[in-house]
Amino acid sequence: MVAIRMKHTKILITGANGFTGQHACNYFSDTGMEVTATVRNTKARLSNSIQKITCDLTQRDQIGQMLQKVVPDYVLHLAGRNAVSNSWDEPVSFIETNMMSTIYLLDALRRMKDCRVLVVGSMLDFPLIDSPKPPHPYSLSKTLQVAAAQSWGHLFGQEVMVAKPVNLIGPGYSNGVCGLLAKKIVEQERGTESKPFRLSSLNEERDFLDVRDAVKAYFKILRDGIAGKVYPIGSGQNRSLGEVIDTFQQMLAKKLIYEVGDSIQPFPPQLIDPSLMKTLDWQPSIRFETSLRDVLNFYRAEVAQ
Amino acid sequence: MVAIRMKHTKILITGANGFTGQHACNYFSDTGMEVTATVRNTKARLSNSIQKITCDLTQRDQIGQMLQKVVPDYVLHLAGRNAVSNSWDEPVSFIETNMMSTIYLLDALRRMKDCRVLVVGSMLDFPLIDSPKPPHPYSLSKTLQVAAAQSWGHLFGQEVMVAKPVNLIGPGYSNGVCGLLAKKIVEQERGTESKPFRLSSLNEERDFLDVRDAVKAYFKILRDGIAGKVYPIGSGQNRSLGEVIDTFQQMLAKKLIYEVGDSIQPFPPQLIDPSLMKTLDWQPSIRFETSLRDVLNFYRAEVAQ
C-alpha cells in the first residue's frame, strides 16, 4: 500500500486516540514501522498492530519513563488540547498540555539516541510581534508550543520539525464543522433530530484537507524534512461553508435543513504556499467530495451500529 | 525621600530576596505602600516593614492561596532563575520557573480585583521569528515569559506591563561582572586571594544601570505605564569592561591584578531608546562611578563583618 517501507524503525505517536492519531497509527504501521501509541488509558481502541503505552504527557516523570521503554527513532507529537472554546475556561491547562508537554518530551529525548520529532502545531497561531494579540488561549498555547519546539531544537541540536495543518476532514470522530454537519445529516436521515444545524455563515472560508493526506505529509516530513523548518500542510484552496453544504446536499436524497448565522469573517485564511511540501514530493491526493462522502459514510455506519 | 506617596495600596513583590528584590522592597515601602514579599523560605533577610509570605511560585496551588491572602493592587514580578550557565543544565526548570510561574500568577490574578502587574523580562531575549535561534535556554525562558505575559494580558484584559532591564549594578550580592570584580578586589585588598580576576575581554561592551534607578523605573511603570507595553530600562550608554576596570582602579590604592581572555563580542548590545521611559518622566540619576563605588563599599563592609 505504501511505497516506502521502513522496517525495524520505531515511531512513537502521541495523542494516538484522537482523530488524526488513529489514521496516523494505521498509516505508519502500514509502512512497516513499529508503532507505539501513547494513550491516556488502556481502553483506547487501536488496531492490534499498534503497541499501546499509557502516559500522561503533562507529567514529566511519566514521559521520561515511557521514552526509556520505547526508545523511538521518530516521534509524531499529535497530543494536545484543541477545542478553542474550552481554552477560554482552562487556559493554563492548554498551555501546560500543548506547550510544556512538548518541552518535557524534547528534554527527555535529548538524553537518548538521535530521534527525529515532528511537532504538529496549528494554523490558528498568531505572530509573536511586539504587541502580540492572540485571538484565543488555544492560539497562544499552540504559538508558544511551536516557538519553544523550534528554539529547543536549535539550542540542543535536536531534529525537530513543525507541521501546521489546516482543517482536517475525513472518516472518524472529529469536532470540525464537516464532522458535526455529517453527524447532524445522519440524525436527520434517521429522523432522530429535528433541530436544524446552525452554521455561523455561508461565506466563511476555510482550507479543508483530508486527514489521510495530512498523515502522508507527516510521514514525508519525518523522513525527509529539514530540522527547524515549519511545514504548512493544506490543500491550497479555500472553500466556503456554503460549498460544504452544497457538496453534502448532492449526496443526499432529502433537502438538508440548516440555519445560517450572521457571523462575518474579517478576511479568508491566507492560502497555503504548496512549494515547501512539493520539495518533499507531497501533494494532496484525495478530492474534497471524496473526503465529505467518507465523513458521511463514517457517521452512517457508526449510527447504524 | 520619594516624592509620591501611595498609602493604603498593596504591592506584592516576588523574588524579593534577590539582588533587585531587596532594593525594590525598601523603595516601595518608602513610598508608603504596603509591601508583601514572596520568599522561598522564612530565613530571608528583609527589613521589618516588609511582610513576608512563603510561596513556591512553580506550584500553581500555592500561588492561588498566597494571592487570596495578599489581594494586591500591584505585583512586581521579579522572581525567576537568571544564571545563564545553569540554564544549559536545567532548561526545563528555567522554563517552568520563568514562564509557567508567570502564567500561574496572571491566571490567579484574573479572578481577583483589578491588579496592575509588571513582569520583569530580560534584554537577553531574542526575536521569535520564523527560525528562532535563542543563544541559551535562559534567553528562551525569558522570551517565552514576555510573549506569554503580554498575550495573556491582551486575552483577559489584565493590565500587564513588561520591563526589560540591562545589566543592573549597585550594592548587594550580585553575580554580575561588577559584583564579582568588586568581591575579588576586596579579597586582594585583604590579601585573602592571590589568583587574578579573569575578564573575558577588555573591549566587550554592556549597558550598566544602577539597580536603584531600575527600581524607580519599575515604580513609574507600575503606576503610569500602559498595559501591554514593553519598557526597556537602561542608561542608554554602552561601556567596555576596560572602562569598568579603569573606574575601579581609580578608587584603589594598589594596582588591580587581572587577566584578560580573548573573547570577541560580535557586536555591542543595541543601545536602549530612552524615549519611552521619558514619557513616564524617568531617567537614570546615579552616576556610573557612584554605582561602582557603592558596589565596592558593599563588599568591603560585608567582608569586614
Side-chain angles (χ1 to χ4, degrees):
Chain A
M1 188 157 89
V2 176
I4 305 107
R5 302 215 150 253
M6 297 186 74
K7 284 209 168 137
H8 308 303
T9 56
K10 286 189 192 175
I11 184 166
L12 178 79
I13 298 178
T14 71
N17 203 36
F19 174 58
T20 306
Q22 300 205 6
H23 287 282
C25 284
N26 294 335
Y27 183 84
F28 281 88
S29 179
D30 285 347
T31 67
M33 279 178 156
E34 271 180 48
V35 178
T36 305
T38 69
V39 289
R40 286 265 196 163
N41 60 64
T42 49
K43 287 181 197 155
R45 293 189 300 173
L46 291 171
S47 94
N48 289 335
S49 63
I50 314 297
Q51 294 175 52
K52 287 188 285 186
I53 191 162
T54 52
C55 183
D56 178 349
L57 295 168
T58 62
Q59 301 302 314
R60 191 179 175 193
D61 294 348
Q62 288 189 29
I63 291 180
Q65 289 159 18
M66 178 270 292
L67 286 171
Q68 290 292 338
K69 286 183 199 153
V70 182
V71 194
D73 302 292
Y74 297 91
V75 171
L76 175 59
H77 182 39
L78 292 165
R81 299 192 64 176
N82 57 25
V84 169
S85 59
N86 294 347
S87 75
W88 286 107
D89 301 323
E90 298 177 273
V92 173
S93 163
F94 271 68
I95 293 174
E96 286 174 334
T97 309
N98 293 344
M99 199 209 93
M100 283 312 298
S101 295
T102 305
I103 289 296
Y104 294 153
L105 203 54
L106 293 174
D107 183 58
L109 286 169
R110 84 185 159 102
R111 294 191 215 96
M112 301 173 66
K113 68 171 182 181
D114 285 354
C115 174
R116 284 169 66 81
V117 182
L118 179 58
V119 173
V120 178
S122 167
M123 278 293 171
L124 295 181
D125 57 359
F126 70 101
L128 280 171
I129 47 169
D130 280 354
S131 296
K133 293 190 171 44
H136 37 69
Y138 168 72
S139 175
L140 174 59
S141 73
K142 295 301 279 186
T143 305
L144 292 175
Q145 174 191 39
V146 167
Q150 286 185 289
S151 301
W152 189 279
H154 167 75
L155 282 171
F156 296 103
Q158 287 172 263
E159 294 190 272
V160 181
M161 285 76 66
V162 173
K164 284 194 198 168
V166 296
N167 302 268
L168 300 184
I169 57 174
Y173 286 105
S174 150
N175 283 323
V177 64
C178 296
L180 294 176
L181 191 51
K183 189 159 170 273
K184 205 81 178 184
I185 290 169
V186 173
E187 287 169 358
Q188 288 184 7
E189 284 179 335
R190 300 178 72 89
T192 54
E193 174 65 64
S194 54
K195 274 198 285 182
F197 187 81
R198 188 168 174 84
L199 277 173
S200 53
S201 145
L202 285 180
N203 300 321
E204 194 176 317
E205 292 193 354
R206 298 188 194 169
D207 183 340
F208 296 100
L209 178 72
D210 197 284
V211 62
R212 294 160 290 189
D213 273 331
V215 163
K216 282 183 202 170
Y218 299 162
F219 175 80
K220 298 224 167 179
I221 299 168
L222 271 170
R223 198 188 52 181
D224 303 323
I226 296 166
K229 272 223 182 302
V230 175
Y231 292 90
I233 315 280
S235 76
Q237 189 178 346
N238 284 339
R239 296 173 190 273
S240 69
L241 296 185
E243 189 175 345
V244 173
I245 291 278
D246 291 346
T247 309
F248 270 130
Q249 185 61 69
Q250 286 166 27
M251 306 172 194
L252 304 176
K254 281 194 185 169
K255 183 107 183 81
L256 174 56
I257 305 161
Y258 61 90
E259 285 177 355
V260 179
D262 54 3
S263 159
I264 291 165
Q265 189 179 28
F267 37 81
Q270 216 183 341
L271 282 180
I272 293 280
D273 174 4
S275 59
L276 195 55
M277 283 308 296
K278 276 195 181 146
T279 65
L280 298 183
D281 194 28
W282 176 91
Q283 56 185 18
S285 66
I286 301 174
R287 289 175 60 238
F288 179 62
E289 295 73 16
T290 307
S291 301
L292 287 199
R293 185 172 297 279
D294 290 349
V295 176
L296 193 59
N297 287 336
F298 169 80
Y299 281 102
R300 282 174 175 154
E302 286 294 306
V303 171
Q305 272 180 5
Chain B
M1 187 159 87
V2 176
I4 306 107
R5 301 214 150 255
M6 296 187 73
K7 284 208 169 136
H8 309 303
T9 56
K10 285 188 193 176
I11 183 166
L12 178 79
I13 298 179
T14 70
N17 203 35
F19 174 59
T20 306
Q22 300 205 5
H23 287 282
C25 283
N26 295 334
Y27 183 85
F28 282 89
S29 179
D30 285 347
T31 68
M33 279 179 158
E34 270 181 48
V35 178
T36 305
T38 68
V39 288
R40 285 264 197 165
N41 60 65
T42 48
K43 288 180 197 156
R45 293 189 300 174
L46 291 171
S47 95
N48 289 335
S49 63
I50 314 296
Q51 295 176 51
K52 287 188 285 187
I53 190 162
T54 53
C55 184
D56 178 350
L57 295 168
T58 63
Q59 301 301 313
R60 191 179 175 192
D61 294 348
Q62 287 190 29
I63 291 180
Q65 289 159 17
M66 179 269 293
L67 286 171
Q68 290 292 337
K69 285 182 200 153
V70 181
V71 195
D73 301 291
Y74 296 92
V75 172
L76 174 59
H77 182 39
L78 291 167
R81 299 192 63 178
N82 57 24
V84 169
S85 58
N86 294 346
S87 75
W88 286 106
D89 300 322
E90 298 178 273
V92 173
S93 163
F94 271 68
I95 293 174
E96 287 175 334
T97 309
N98 292 346
M99 200 209 95
M100 284 311 298
S101 294
T102 305
I103 289 295
Y104 294 152
L105 203 55
L106 292 175
D107 183 58
L109 287 168
R110 83 184 161 102
R111 296 192 214 95
M112 301 173 66
K113 69 170 181 180
D114 286 353
C115 174
R116 285 169 65 82
V117 182
L118 178 58
V119 173
V120 178
S122 168
M123 277 294 170
L124 295 182
D125 57 359
F126 69 101
L128 280 171
I129 47 169
D130 281 353
S131 297
K133 292 187 171 46
H136 37 68
Y138 168 71
S139 174
L140 174 59
S141 72
K142 295 301 278 186
T143 305
L144 293 174
Q145 175 191 38
V146 167
Q150 285 185 289
S151 300
W152 188 281
H154 168 74
L155 282 170
F156 296 101
Q158 287 172 265
E159 294 190 274
V160 181
M161 285 77 65
V162 173
K164 284 194 198 170
V166 296
N167 302 267
L168 300 184
I169 57 174
Y173 285 105
S174 150
N175 282 322
V177 64
C178 296
L180 294 176
L181 191 51
K183 190 159 169 271
K184 205 80 176 184
I185 291 169
V186 173
E187 287 168 359
Q188 288 183 9
E189 286 178 335
R190 300 178 72 88
T192 55
E193 174 64 67
S194 53
K195 274 198 284 181
F197 187 81
R198 189 169 173 84
L199 278 173
S200 53
S201 145
L202 286 180
N203 300 321
E204 194 175 316
E205 292 193 354
R206 300 190 192 167
D207 183 340
F208 296 100
L209 178 72
D210 197 285
V211 62
R212 293 160 290 189
D213 273 330
V215 163
K216 282 183 202 169
Y218 299 162
F219 174 81
K220 297 224 167 177
I221 298 168
L222 270 170
R223 196 188 53 181
D224 303 323
I226 297 166
K229 271 222 183 304
V230 174
Y231 292 89
I233 314 281
S235 77
Q237 188 178 348
N238 284 338
R239 295 174 191 271
S240 68
L241 296 185
E243 189 175 346
V244 173
I245 290 278
D246 291 347
T247 309
F248 269 130
Q249 185 63 67
Q250 286 166 28
M251 307 172 193
L252 305 176
K254 280 195 188 170
K255 181 106 185 82
L256 174 56
I257 306 162
Y258 61 90
E259 286 177 354
V260 180
D262 54 3
S263 160
I264 292 164
Q265 190 179 28
F267 37 81
Q270 216 184 340
L271 282 180
I272 294 280
D273 174 5
S275 60
L276 195 55
M277 282 308 297
K278 276 194 181 147
T279 65
L280 299 183
D281 194 29
W282 177 89
Q283 56 184 18
S285 66
I286 302 175
R287 289 174 62 239
F288 179 63
E289 294 72 16
T290 307
S291 301
L292 287 199
R293 185 172 297 280
D294 290 350
V295 176
L296 193 59
N297 287 336
F298 169 79
Y299 281 101
R300 280 174 174 153
E302 286 295 304
V303 171
Q305 273 180 5

